[in-house]
Amino acid sequence: MSALTVRPAVAGDDAFLRAVYASSRAEEVAGFGWPDEQARAFLAMQYEAQRRHFRSAWPRAVDGIVAAAGEPVGRLYVDRGAAAVTVLDIALLPTARGTGIGTALLRGLQAEAAALDVPVALQVRPGHRAVRLYDRLGFRSTTSGASEERIAMRWRPPGHAEWAAAVGVPGVLAGVPALPAECSPALRLGPFEQFSVALRVPADAAFAQGTHRFEHPALGALDLFVVPSARTGDDVTLTATFARAVAP
């Protein structure tokens, strides 16, 4: 996959953003059976309504232009609040769908949210093709923020219970197979729980102490600070230590 960048949208991007929005709803609107002119007018009206709503409800959110290999391919509109990273809109041109770009963008947001110990929240239309992607990345439906037209979904940084359940299920650490092999008991320290996880990687993998991206089918994407702690002829054990806020 080509290198991805996301930059803040500027006034000159308006036509592109309108095209991305129209393409994201083209299949839905085609089902209405309207003439092309009526469909275009409806999509333009809907785009303006969405823009006004986003700017009013999330004034600090950033509307971003997603580019692959320097070419604009989509939109990522995100509000980075104190309590959550909220995805207001993620949409790609048809030619960019199914290429891994959406997955990469969401995994990046998961890692960003995990570092802040806040969830990633989003909404999606029932039956939309993106629901399968969100499920695969660990997002789960929630009643908070849901409506008749939208499913509210949320991904939370994994705590002790999630890591314990992930033991034995392989993931990937900086491109290298990595197996969560052990999760220590959680130690409760006031409003936090502290625990450690042992990850096993192949013996020939060169990992120094530091931060590396970990991707896991159940946990999502996380930037883990790991410390090499043991070595055998078959594998190297890396230890990551966590302190997570817990409900009182």
Side-chain angles (χ1 to χ4, degrees), residues 4-27:
L4 294 179
T5 59
V6 182
R7 62 165 177 82
V10 296
D13 294 315
D14 186 65
F16 174 75
L17 290 171
R18 290 176 182 273
V20 171
Y21 179 83
S23 73
S24 72
R25 299 192 63 184
E27 185 177 341

Side-chain angles (χ1 to χ4, degrees), residues 123 142-153:
Q123 294 185 350
T142 175
T143 56
S144 176
S147 66
E148 292 184 3
E149 297 82 18
R150 296 277 176 169
I151 301 170
M153 304 188 75

Side-chain angles (χ1 to χ4, degrees), residues 147-241:
S147 66
E148 292 184 3
E149 297 82 18
R150 296 277 176 169
I151 301 170
M153 304 188 75
R154 186 172 290 248
W155 174 86
R156 296 183 182 278
H160 181 264
E162 290 77 20
W163 273 107
V167 168
V169 180
V172 176
L173 183 69
V176 175
L179 179 72
E182 185 179 349
C183 181
S184 73
L187 176 63
R188 186 67 177 263
L189 300 170
F192 298 94
E193 62 178 11
Q194 183 174 313
F195 60 96
S196 61
V197 173
L199 299 171
R200 289 181 185 159
V201 299
D204 58 355
F207 279 100
Q209 174 176 307
T211 301
H212 307 278
R213 176 66 57 82
F214 180 62
E215 298 184 354
H216 190 273
L219 303 176
L222 310 159
D223 286 335
L224 300 183
F225 184 84
V226 298
V227 178
S229 54
R231 178 183 290 271
T232 68
D234 298 323
D235 53 50
V236 174
T237 298
L238 308 172
T239 299
T241 300

Side-chain angles (χ1 to χ4, degrees), residues 57-165:
W58 291 277
R60 292 178 296 181
V62 177
D63 195 358
I65 301 296
V66 179
E71 292 295 320
V73 295
R75 176 198 210 185
L76 181 65
Y77 205 150
V78 179
D79 179 72
R80 293 170 171 84
V85 173
T86 302
V87 182
L88 304 181
D89 192 24
I90 178 170
L92 299 172
L93 293 174
T95 54
R97 297 171 193 159
T99 62
I101 292 176
T103 296
L105 293 171
L106 289 167
R107 287 201 184 282
L109 291 175
Q110 286 178 325
E112 184 180 333
L116 300 172
D117 199 20
V118 298
V120 180
L122 54 80
Q123 294 185 350
V124 62
R125 293 192 304 276
H128 194 279
R129 56 182 171 273
V131 172
R132 293 192 300 273
L133 169 63
Y134 301 150
D135 281 334
R136 180 165 57 83
L137 293 179
F139 285 82
R140 297 295 177 259
S141 298
T142 175
T143 56
S144 176
S147 66
E148 292 184 3
E149 297 82 18
R150 296 277 176 169
I151 301 170
M153 304 188 75
R154 186 172 290 248
W155 174 86
R156 296 183 182 278
H160 181 264
E162 290 77 20
W163 273 107

